[in-house]
Amino acid sequence: MCLALPARVVSIDADNAMATVLLGEVKKSISLALVDDVQVDDFVLIHVGYALNRISDRGGRAHPGPAVVCSH
């Protein structure tokens, strides 16, 4: 099973395909290499330092905990 966390994008470094996200009160640097068209204030699901996909603002705020995104 894989878990991903919803996080809000607070800044983007487009030259390096990286972003800073906010997880509660913690800021973390993540890679945007796997997703397109992410902008500041978007919510993304993150797993092991990568944004897996963009999710709705509603979904990001409604589920502050982990989400199951795959199962083995």
Side-chain angles (χ1 to χ4, degrees), residues 42-59:
D42 282 350
F43 279 83
V44 292
L45 283 178
I46 61 170
H47 177 68
V48 295
Y50 286 85
L52 299 178
N53 61 321
R54 198 168 36 147
I55 59 175
S56 71
D57 175 17
R58 188 179 219 172

Side-chain angles (χ1 to χ4, degrees), residues 20-72:
T20 301
V21 296
L22 196 58
L23 291 159
E25 296 182 22
V26 176
K27 288 185 179 179
K28 179 170 177 54
S29 181
I30 64 163
S31 173
L32 296 175
L34 304 176
V35 292
D36 294 323
D37 301 322
V38 174
Q39 299 188 19
V40 171
D41 288 328
D42 282 350
F43 279 83
V44 292
L45 283 178
I46 61 170
H47 177 68
V48 295
Y50 286 85
L52 299 178
N53 61 321
R54 198 168 36 147
I55 59 175
S56 71
D57 175 17
R58 188 179 219 172
R61 292 181 198 281
H63 300 288
V68 175
V69 293
C70 64
S71 181
H72 296 269

